[in-house]
Amino acid sequence: MNTVKLAPLLLIFVEVANKRSFTAAAKKLGMSKSAISQQIKRLEESIGHQLLIRNTRGVVLTSAGESLLARSELLSEQISLTLTELDSEKDQPSGHFKVSVPPFFEKGIVIPALKQLCLEFPKLTPEVVVTEKWQDLIEHNLDAAIFGGDIKNCDYRALSIGTVSEVFCASPRYLKQYGAVTSIENLSEHKYIGTAWHREKLQIFSDDYRHEQRVAVPHSAKVNTLTTALEAVLNDMGVALLPEFLVQTHLNKDDLVRVLPELRGRSWHFYFLHQYKGEKPVHVTRFYQLYRHFFNKGIASFEPSASI
């Protein structure tokens, strides 16, 4: 006896037996009355027992039908329970959630976003990878990645988060020793700290981004991470072009001074990368929403009009 083929017949039988009506069962299952009747006949022939008797009042179960119903209802309920649990998991995702994020975004953006995500989806186990490097989602088993700058050609989906601008900074001690930076031409006479993500010619914009110029500035040192660049400037090694969100706290405390305030570096676009081609899982969508909220909230605090 092929129980796999009998399973759908048993589920149809349960509907007919519970409703005591072929017509009502057909309506519930979206089938024709004749199709329901044929499926019940196939079931009876397969097991060798008559299960139902039709009369003028509807359907009556035989003793074999009563016995089969008691057992088949468990099958129907188990399938229904399994599907309900799957729907529940869709609404309440669980398991590992791994994301990569750039440095310096943890305190005011990543952690608040993850805290709220875990409150809404307590069965999630988040893992955060902090890195400045491009992280391939599949290679590193990532659910999502935050990346700033020019995106490499890939098949991943990129959702916009926001932009971060750059400003020229130096320490008060450096400026006291080497003098003020009076113009972009004068910058060449200072110790400039180059970074790996800038090209040989810097993209320099007016503070309102209406005018652009490209300037080659020789550097006295070169670094490849934001951490190193910030430490070099804080330790009086020279002038650097750094993300405004990174230096704002130090500017507020007078640990750093913004030089050439009428100029800015390029605006870096940050993206939320994921690999889902259809609808994203609800927790991935929610993390994007939360990350973007805290990102833009943090960036807004650096605007000139914001109170400090």
Side-chain angles (χ1 to χ4, degrees):
M1 185 180 295
N2 191 329
T3 55
V4 174
K5 291 184 178 180
L6 289 180
L9 304 183
L10 290 171
L11 295 175
I12 292 173
F13 164 72
V14 169
E15 286 297 328
V16 175
N18 280 331
K19 295 185 179 302
R20 297 295 197 271
S21 168
F22 279 83
T23 302
K27 185 176 180 181
K28 172 71 179 296
L29 297 174
M31 301 172 64
S32 67
K33 184 177 177 181
S34 61
I36 293 289
S37 180
Q38 291 173 7
Q39 298 304 315
I40 295 298
K41 183 178 179 180
R42 283 182 55 199
L43 177 61
E44 290 177 329
E45 290 174 350
S46 297
I47 64 177
H49 290 279
Q50 183 177 359
L51 302 173
L52 302 169
I53 299 174
R54 297 188 186 188
N55 59 30
T56 55
R57 291 177 295 178
V59 173
V60 177
L61 273 69
T62 64
S63 58
E66 292 282 3
S67 178
L68 184 61
L69 177 62
R71 290 165 174 77
S72 298
E73 277 186 313
L74 296 178
L75 171 64
S76 179
E77 291 175 359
Q78 186 61 43
I79 293 175
S80 178
L81 179 60
T82 300
L83 294 176
T84 300
E85 288 177 350
L86 287 174
D87 285 339
S88 176
E89 287 184 8
K90 186 190 301 182
D91 295 334
Q92 285 292 331
S94 61
H96 201 199
F97 177 60
K98 186 177 180 182
V99 296
S100 72
V101 300
F104 295 102
F105 283 85
E106 303 99 305
K107 184 178 180 181
I109 301 174
V110 178
I111 297 306
L114 280 178
K115 177 184 177 181
Q116 182 60 34
L117 187 75
C118 290
L119 287 174
E120 296 178 16
F121 305 115
K123 295 182 180 179
L124 283 180
T125 303
E127 178 182 351
V128 180
V129 178
V130 180
T131 177
E132 292 180 337
K133 297 180 179 180
W134 165 269
Q135 295 280 291
D136 184 83
L137 300 181
I138 295 176
E139 180 182 350
H140 296 276
N141 196 29
L142 294 166
D143 293 285
I146 309 299
F147 185 77
D150 300 324
I151 299 179
K152 298 180 179 181
N153 292 329
C154 65
D155 294 327
Y156 303 134
R157 302 298 188 268
L159 302 176
S160 174
I161 294 176
T163 57
V164 170
S165 62
E166 299 175 314
V167 293
F168 288 100
C169 294
S171 70
R173 291 179 298 273
Y174 170 84
L175 294 175
K176 184 177 180 179
Q177 181 177 357
Y178 293 95
V181 183
T182 58
S183 66
I184 194 66
E185 292 76 19
N186 175 240
L187 183 60
S188 299
E189 301 171 12
H190 280 264
K191 293 181 179 296
Y192 182 75
I193 301 168
T195 55
W197 54 91
H198 287 130
R199 295 172 183 170
E200 184 176 345
K201 285 191 175 183
L202 296 178
Q203 284 181 274
I204 308 299
F205 299 84
S206 59
D207 200 44
D208 58 8
Y209 282 101
R210 291 183 179 178
H211 305 286
E212 177 188 358
Q213 57 183 311
R214 293 177 183 263
V215 181
V217 181
H219 50 261
S220 60
K222 190 171 184 177
V223 298
N224 69 342
T225 70
L226 282 174
T227 305
T228 312
L230 177 60
E231 284 301 308
V233 177
L234 287 171
N235 281 275
D236 319 321
M237 290 183 63
V239 182
L241 189 57
L242 297 172
E244 191 171 12
F245 80 89
L246 176 62
V247 300
Q248 188 64 53
T249 300
H250 297 286
L251 292 174
N252 293 342
K253 295 192 298 183
D254 296 326
D255 295 334
L256 293 178
V257 176
R258 181 178 173 183
V259 300
L260 302 176
E262 73 283 1
L263 300 176
R264 289 180 178 269
R266 65 171 287 186
S267 183
W268 295 88
H269 206 129
F270 281 79
Y271 298 92
F272 181 93
L273 303 177
H274 67 88
Q275 57 181 305
Y276 301 97
K277 295 186 178 180
E279 184 178 354
K280 299 186 297 299
V282 63
H283 62 289
V284 175
T285 297
R286 185 56 176 152
F287 182 68
Y288 165 67
Q289 294 170 343
L290 291 168
Y291 194 99
R292 187 177 182 184
H293 168 76
F294 286 107
F295 179 94
N296 289 318
K297 181 180 178 182
I299 298 304
S301 67
F302 306 145
E303 297 297 328
S305 59
S307 58
I308 298 176

